[in-house]
Amino acid sequence: MLQIFEQATKQGGKIAIQSNGQSYTYTALINSSKHLASVLLNQQKDLQQARVAFMVHPGFDYVRTLWAIWQAGGVAVPLCLTYPLPSLQYVLEDTGADIIVVSDEYAVILNDYAKEHQLSFYVLGQLGNATTILNDLPTIKVDRNALILYTSGTTNLPKGVVTTHANIEAQISTLIKAWEWNASDHTICVLPLHHVHGIINVVGCSMWIGATCTFLESFSAEEIFQIFEKGDINVFMAVPTIYFKLIAYLETLDDRKQVQLKKVMQAFRLMVCGSAALPVSVMEKWGKMSGHTLLERYGMTELGMAISNPYHGVRKAGYVGIPLPSVEVKLVDEQYHEVEKGMPGEIIVKGPNVFKEYWQKPTATQESFTMDGWFKTGDIAVVEEGYYRIMGRSSVDIIKSGGYKISALEIEEVLRTNESIDDCAVVGIADDEWGELIVAAIVLKDFAQSTFDTKVLNDWFVQQMAGYKKPRKYIVLKELPRNAMGKVVKNEVKKIFNQSIL
Ligand code: MLC
Ligand code: AMP
């Protein structure tokens, strides 16, 4: 049995999950996921690493589905709940998923697609208790594929990051050790569950150690504080934009309420921030309002977490800390030689946490590792007084907005299919709240010059891609700034936007 299920079985009647106003024990989680695993197996002995895509809302149903897929021998492919059909279709086709599981509310989105492609389609609310639970579920070896998460990179289409059960176990256990997770912890998941931050750091760690995880359907500052006020939560993890939004909400409250909430938050054991650079101003403000020094850490879909400020010891503002247990980190130059002490370089990483491959992309996989097996992150950092500081990324085409990694190339590709747009260049510009704001410089086709409307464009865009990938500002240019080779100079595009804001 995989270690996560062994651990969970030992917890028995302890509360594992709180969602939709209900509490579920570890026993309920195990039984219900075994039942669903039996359904998914549908008379087979082992799904043999078949990809199972699932579009399930956060909470008990999400975890039971994930665990069911694993127990049946499948590879879990969590779908983003806000993707329009074309983006979902890309993931389904790329993974070759032939089983889909959905919460009732998403059935309508994927029902026709599943029928047309003759996929097995399970709607959670329509599954009765008819299937007997199989006692002899397949034995899953840890070197099997477990999860495929999609990440945007320097190519225009997202790549599937494949992690094995062994990778996941390593990603979780290093955090359990470094952050001293324990069974009396109670965390809250406010993050989307198609990325590692939510899946590994929050849900993975809490379920592994036998803690309790409360789920919110989606982010709401008001609801988060209402739950905090009950006094049960003691571990909280989020992206910088969320801390920014929580601060903004706290500032709307009167002094008495602020003091009351600070008292509640001071009793927390741990508050972590990551997925994007935590501005020093946000860390300081949060410190004042919550009584907590945020622990900033650095991670990536391909790695889980790699570098973290210490649980005990100094948490330095503006720094991501030191490598986590069992994770090797080096800074290298463009020839992949280690840089001299104190010099900046690209972060490369080795360890049992590092992913196995990009799904069906052997060339991309090979190119992302050095000859001696280190994963190249594309992030530039420097070590100062023993702590890593992230300086930026090697590619201007990767944007981090609200903690989501977004490929400028992917957005450009979609914008160019719009009938009004002749050409475009997408960049990220610095923004206090979102980290970076996605903006697009566009060149219009002649006929569109007088009728162009950004609202019409945005409405069209969100039918093609998730809303969080939508450009927040547009500038119409006669032509894009290009260098002598004819290549668009993205830094010039950024300058144009920054000047237009001043
Ligand atoms: C949304 N809005 C944005 C935006 N996203 N504006 C600018 N930039 C963006 N990126 C606008 C919307 O248009 C809308 O405006 C308003 O903000 C609210 O939109 P929303 O979609 O409802 O946002 P909200 O629910 O408030 O979500 C914000 C958020 C979310 C921060 C909670 O972005 C989020 O969950 N981010 C976490 C992503 C994550 O988990 N990343 C980890 C990746 S793993 P209007 O006007 O339309 O109302 C990884 C590895 C690691 O990175 O190290 O962890
Ligand atoms: P993703 O591919 O969505 O997993 O995003 C991973 C990327 O997020 C990393 O390569 C970094 O660029 C960025 N990132 C994660 N944590 C931090 C952090 N604490 N500071 C700065 N950047 C971060």
Side-chain angles (χ1 to χ4, degrees):
M1 198 193 283
L2 290 170
Q3 222 178 321
I4 193 155
F5 303 128
E6 259 174 45
Q7 309 254 112
T9 307
K10 281 189 225 150
Q11 301 301 330
K14 182 156 190 269
I15 300 297
I17 288 173
Q18 290 183 329
S19 59
N20 302 324
Q22 289 194 52
S23 297
Y24 303 88
T25 63
Y26 276 92
T27 303
L29 188 54
I30 287 281
N31 288 344
S32 154
S33 60
K34 275 189 178 164
H35 174 255
L36 184 55
S38 309
V39 173
L40 298 179
L41 278 165
N42 192 18
Q43 318 294 333
Q44 300 166 79
K45 283 201 155 47
D46 184 336
L47 288 182
Q48 303 282 13
Q49 303 189 67
R51 273 76 57 211
V52 184
F54 64 114
M55 193 166 182
V56 174
H57 55 71
F60 179 72
D61 275 346
Y62 179 97
V63 184
R64 86 164 158 125
T65 306
L66 177 68
W67 285 17
I69 296 167
W70 286 345
Q71 292 185 92
V75 179
V77 182
L79 298 172
C80 171
L81 304 181
T82 55
Y83 272 4
L85 191 58
S87 306
L88 294 170
Q89 220 166 309
Y90 172 75
V91 173
L92 292 169
E93 277 163 22
D94 194 58
T95 54
D98 41 25
I99 304 175
I100 303 180
V101 183
V102 293
S103 304
D104 300 16
E105 64 266 41
Y106 304 118
V108 59
I109 302 175
L110 289 171
N111 192 16
D112 290 349
Y113 178 88
K115 250 193 207 146
E116 196 187 318
H117 293 82
Q118 297 176 338
L119 309 179
S120 304
F121 191 61
Y122 297 100
V123 182
L124 289 175
Q126 291 171 14
L127 300 176
N129 291 317
T131 308
T132 37
I133 298 179
L134 297 174
N135 286 322
D136 52 347
L137 288 167
T139 307
I140 310 299
K141 294 225 173 84
V142 291
D143 60 356
R144 276 212 201 184
N145 295 349
L147 193 63
I148 304 183
L149 300 179
Y150 275 76
T151 186
S152 297
T154 45
T155 46
N156 50 11
L157 289 171
K159 297 190 286 277
V161 175
V162 181
T163 40
T164 63
H165 289 286
N167 295 146
I168 290 175
E169 289 189 8
Q171 291 176 3
I172 292 176
S173 23
T174 192
L175 296 183
I176 300 271
K177 193 166 167 190
W179 298 345
E180 301 188 5
W181 275 94
N182 59 78
S184 54
D185 282 333
H186 188 157
T187 192
I188 175 168
C189 181
V190 302
L191 293 162
L193 287 172
H194 62 294
H195 284 305
V196 290
H197 197 162
I199 300 173
I200 300 294
N201 298 21
V202 182
V203 178
C205 287
S206 56
M207 294 297 101
W208 180 280
I209 202 67
T212 303
C213 186
T214 292
F215 287 79
L216 275 195
E217 284 276 326
S218 59
F219 173 77
S220 151
E222 192 179 359
E223 263 186 81
I224 289 176
F225 285 117
Q226 276 168 3
I227 294 176
F228 280 5
E229 266 189 292
K230 291 185 191 160
D232 300 327
I233 308 290
N234 70 339
V235 174
F236 182 62
M237 300 190 185
V239 300
T241 303
I242 290 185
Y243 284 104
F244 186 99
K245 285 172 176 285
L246 293 180
I247 291 170
Y249 178 81
L250 281 173
E251 284 173 341
T252 64
L253 305 176
D254 61 35
D255 289 353
R256 190 193 55 83
K257 191 75 195 172
Q258 284 191 22
V259 170
Q260 190 190 333
L261 282 170
K262 180 170 178 174
K263 215 167 144 201
V264 171
M265 289 192 282
Q266 262 170 341
F268 278 37
R269 183 177 75 73
L270 176 64
M271 288 184 164
V272 180
C273 184
S275 298
L278 169 63
V280 173
S281 58
V282 173
M283 179 160 171
E284 285 172 351
K285 240 183 189 170
W286 186 258
K288 282 200 191 102
M289 303 191 99
S290 72
H292 266 271
T293 308
L294 283 177
L295 184 154
E296 185 177 4
R297 85 320 175 264
Y298 161 90
M300 199 171 180
T301 306
E302 288 87 337
L303 309 171
M305 301 301 110
I307 308 175
S308 167
N309 269 284
Y311 180 65
H312 299 286
V314 182
R315 299 175 190 173
K316 271 198 197 178
Y319 291 79
V320 292
I322 54 178
L324 281 159
S326 312
V327 182
E328 285 182 82
V329 178
K330 275 203 301 200
L331 295 183
V332 295
D333 62 21
E334 280 167 8
Q335 281 71 47
Y336 300 102
H337 297 135
E338 199 161 357
V339 296
E340 284 187 28
K341 214 170 162 213
M343 298 303 286
E346 179 179 349
I347 302 176
I348 58 171
V349 179
K350 210 180 214 180
N353 58 307
V354 178
F355 78 124
K356 179 178 158 189
E357 62 187 359
Y358 291 116
W359 177 248
Q360 292 185 333
K361 290 195 168 42
T363 312
T365 305
Q366 204 190 353
E367 284 169 2
S368 71
F369 286 90
T370 63
M371 301 286 279
D372 49 351
W374 291 75
F375 173 68
K376 309 173 195 169
T377 64
D379 290 310
I380 311 297
V382 64
V383 179
E384 291 163 346
E385 294 170 14
Y387 281 56
Y388 282 74
R389 179 165 65 85
I390 309 291
M391 299 174 72
R393 280 181 297 273
S394 54
S395 170
V396 71
D397 287 321
I398 292 175
I399 301 170
K400 265 268 159 167
S401 191
Y404 284 112
K405 181 161 150 188
I406 294 149
S407 162
L409 304 178
E410 193 187 340
I411 299 172
E412 288 166 5
E413 198 87 341
V414 167
L415 285 177
R416 285 196 200 99
T417 65
N418 183 277
E419 56 169 16
S420 303
I421 294 177
D422 191 28
D423 203 357
C424 62
V426 170
V427 291
I429 54 168
D431 182 80
D432 288 347
E433 181 171 7
W434 296 97
E436 286 180 290
L437 215 52
I438 306 166
V439 295
I442 50 177
V443 178
L444 293 173
K445 289 189 180 150
D446 283 343
F447 81 89
Q449 303 279 352
S450 56
T451 53
F452 177 69
D453 180 344
T454 51
K455 177 161 185 328
V456 175
L457 180 60
N458 279 333
D459 291 348
W460 169 85
F461 187 90
V462 294
Q463 287 164 29
Q464 323 297 317
M465 293 188 111
Y468 64 80
K469 298 184 180 178
K470 183 174 73 178
R472 306 292 149 172
K473 286 191 182 123
Y474 295 94
I475 276 189
V476 176
L477 299 178
K478 279 218 164 66
E479 53 189 312
L480 299 173
R482 293 181 188 273
N483 63 17
M485 314 287 289
K487 195 170 177 301
V488 173
V489 187
K490 292 268 174 115
N491 284 331
E492 284 299 319
V493 178
K494 284 188 184 210
K495 263 194 214 154
I496 295 172
F497 272 100
N498 286 326
Q499 279 160 4
S500 79
I501 291 165
L502 294 174

